Amino acid sequence: MTNQSRRQFGKYSSLQSGFTLVELVTVIIILGILAVGISSFIVFGTQIFVQANAVEKMLGQSRFAIERMSRDIRSAVPNSLRLTQSGNLWQCLELLPISASSTYTSLPVYPNPASATATAIATSQAVAAGQNMLVYPLTAADVYGDPAATTGKIFALAGSEVVGDDQTLRFGNDVQFSENSPRQRFYIASQPISYCFIREPGSSTLELRRYANYGIQIEQPQPSDGLNAGVLMAENIANDLVVQPPLTVNPANLIDNALVLLTPEFSVAGESFRYEQQVQVINAP
């Protein structure tokens, strides 16, 4: 082979040679750095999405619970609010929601004799047997009296008939109301409801449950007895029931309406937010 041929062969050999080990290692290191950076960015973005989704879900859940609770409280019969608490375990608010109301024209009220009927201006909402009629309730004891009694301020209805603008309300037996309402106002209510903030054993947070369909009871029922399983309204509530209870009730008086202060604090994904909402119950017995 001539010298020219050798030079030509060497030129072709150098053009066809592969990467060196140093070049391969350098490329692998660069690709590794890029992969770590991209994966960290993806993981970080996923975490932000998951946290934002959890916060949004909690906001929606808490708004619904607070709005439903506020609506029920606003519709409560005057002086029907009852609040009890057991240390840092639970706190319950009970109320009797109004189904209908109107003005009576004839009522068996002391000192008039007892009667099984009363007449009134027809209510805009239907009134059915099994509901209760209340007249001039001034205390919780008036509201949560025995509907089957024959004297008091609350009695169970056996039926109702409407003729034109007049309505006849029938009771299961002869009854006698204790006092007249100054405005001859009466309320119709079905069953009480309770909202309870409950701390499950071993849990650092509370859950909010709504209880219904358990009937009127003279003593306020507790979550441990007298109440059904209830409906879960919200969870991950971080209040300390002793230091910062989520419910505060200012009773009604001759000047002011009853006021319920809702201050539940929700915690999720390392974030916390607290509601501060006042709900009035009109004191117009």
Side-chain angles (χ1 to χ4, degrees), residues 216-233:
I216 293 177
Q217 301 182 29
I218 296 176
E219 297 295 330
Q220 184 174 354
Q222 302 178 1
S224 56
D225 59 7
L227 293 178
N228 47 39
V231 177
L232 180 63
M233 302 293 291

Side-chain angles (χ1 to χ4, degrees), residues 185-201:
R185 182 184 292 111
F186 72 90
Y187 295 101
I188 302 297
S190 296
Q191 294 196 42
I193 58 176
S194 290
Y195 282 94
C196 293
F197 291 88
I198 303 172
R199 189 181 310 279
E200 293 296 327

Side-chain angles (χ1 to χ4, degrees), residues 29-104:
I29 292 174
I30 294 173
L31 291 175
I33 294 173
L34 290 174
V36 170
I38 293 172
S39 62
S40 299
F41 178 77
I42 294 174
V43 170
F44 182 68
T46 303
Q47 289 176 343
I48 292 177
F49 173 78
V50 171
Q51 291 178 357
N53 189 53
V55 171
E56 181 63 27
K57 181 180 178 181
M58 178 59 67
L59 282 171
Q61 181 190 77
S62 61
R63 284 196 207 100
F64 169 78
I66 295 298
E67 180 57 32
R68 179 65 185 275
M69 194 173 181
S70 300
R71 190 185 314 144
D72 284 338
I73 293 172
R74 289 191 194 99
S75 67
V77 171
N79 302 306
S80 68
L81 299 176
R82 295 200 293 187
L83 181 66
T84 57
Q85 182 172 332
S86 176
N88 205 26
L89 296 178
W90 54 263
Q91 184 186 41
C92 288
L93 175 68
E94 185 178 32
L95 56 97
L96 189 64
I98 298 170
S99 300
S101 65
S102 186
T103 302
Y104 60 83

